[in-house]
Amino acid sequence: VDLFYPQRFSNVQWLPSVEDGAKIVMEEMGWLEQDYDGLLQNALIDEDGSFLNGPAGGTAIAAANSELAKSSCISERGHFACKQTAYRMLRWEAVESVSHRTLSKMKCARNSDGRATWSKGNMKDDCLMAEPRHERVVLVSGEDAYSLTFFTSPPKHHRLFYLSELSERILLDIF
């Protein structure tokens, strides 16, 4: 299940009847298991502060991915409210899909605090419905350094995309 492309929110007006704990729920439910990147690497971006009730540019991330949260993030029911952190998507993909190659997990460690998260792919290893895409996605915050580790040999030709509209940079060490 691929749900991780960031969703952006602005001019949000919550109904008075909606309880605070029910506004944003990003946790395992039925078909959406916490092992999927669709939940672990999901970002809900608050464009103007109306979604998270904070400054513009904050992000809600899944509670299941606690290692992604920085110390400034607030743990709330089903998610972390990172009101001061703009998380953006870093996507690694193979230039040419190699059908005989099996990709494993990709570890993304934030060098500033040593916390690490994983991209496990968009489907389970035993899913036979379709050929898995040769890509991995993680959420990163700008102005930080990260170490990416692949646990199998990646294809010879690959590329990285940092999807951010902000004028920021990241530093990657690839192992």
Side-chain angles (χ1 to χ4, degrees):
V1 176
D2 284 331
L3 301 174
F4 50 73
Y5 297 103
Q7 293 101 40
R8 301 173 177 283
F9 295 86
S10 62
N11 298 317
V12 174
Q13 296 181 3
W14 296 102
L15 295 172
S17 60
V18 179
E19 297 175 19
D20 285 342
K23 290 179 179 178
I24 304 170
V25 179
M26 298 171 68
E27 57 190 20
E28 186 173 347
M29 57 186 126
W31 57 270
L32 185 60
E33 298 178 25
Q34 74 179 35
D35 280 344
Y36 289 119
D37 279 354
L39 177 60
L40 292 178
Q41 304 300 337
N42 199 349
L44 307 179
I45 299 170
D46 187 353
E47 301 254 315
D48 61 2
S50 63
F51 186 62
L52 294 174
N53 296 321
T59 312
I61 58 174
N65 199 352
S66 61
E67 292 299 309
L68 183 60
K70 289 187 171 188
S71 60
S72 61
C73 297
I74 301 166
S75 177
E76 297 191 7
R77 180 182 174 255
H79 72 285
F80 283 95
C82 303
K83 297 179 182 182
Q84 300 170 351
T85 305
Y87 285 96
R88 299 298 184 254
M89 186 168 63
L90 176 68
R91 179 178 165 177
W92 171 89
E93 68 179 31
V95 174
E96 296 176 4
S97 187
V98 183
S99 61
H100 68 277
R101 186 181 299 271
T102 301
L103 295 179
S104 68
K105 301 173 188 174
M106 179 181 77
K107 178 181 175 183
C108 180
R110 190 170 46 232
N111 295 350
S112 62
D113 59 10
R115 299 184 83 171
T117 186
W118 298 84
S119 175
K120 300 176 182 183
N122 60 338
M123 57 184 79
K124 291 184 177 180
D125 293 337
D126 59 356
C127 183
L128 300 176
M129 297 180 340
E131 187 73 26
R133 294 194 310 231
H134 287 101
E135 69 179 19
R136 294 293 181 261
V137 175
V138 290
L139 292 174
V140 295
S141 60
E143 304 297 333
D144 216 332
Y146 292 86
S147 295
L148 297 180
T149 306
F150 297 91
F151 289 91
T152 57
S153 176
K156 189 175 195 177
H157 303 287
H158 52 269
R159 57 186 164 217
L160 290 163
F161 297 96
Y162 179 52
L163 305 174
S164 178
E165 73 288 353
L166 305 173
S167 60
E168 59 187 8
R169 62 192 177 278
I170 57 172
L171 173 66
L172 299 173
D173 295 322
I174 302 175
F175 301 98

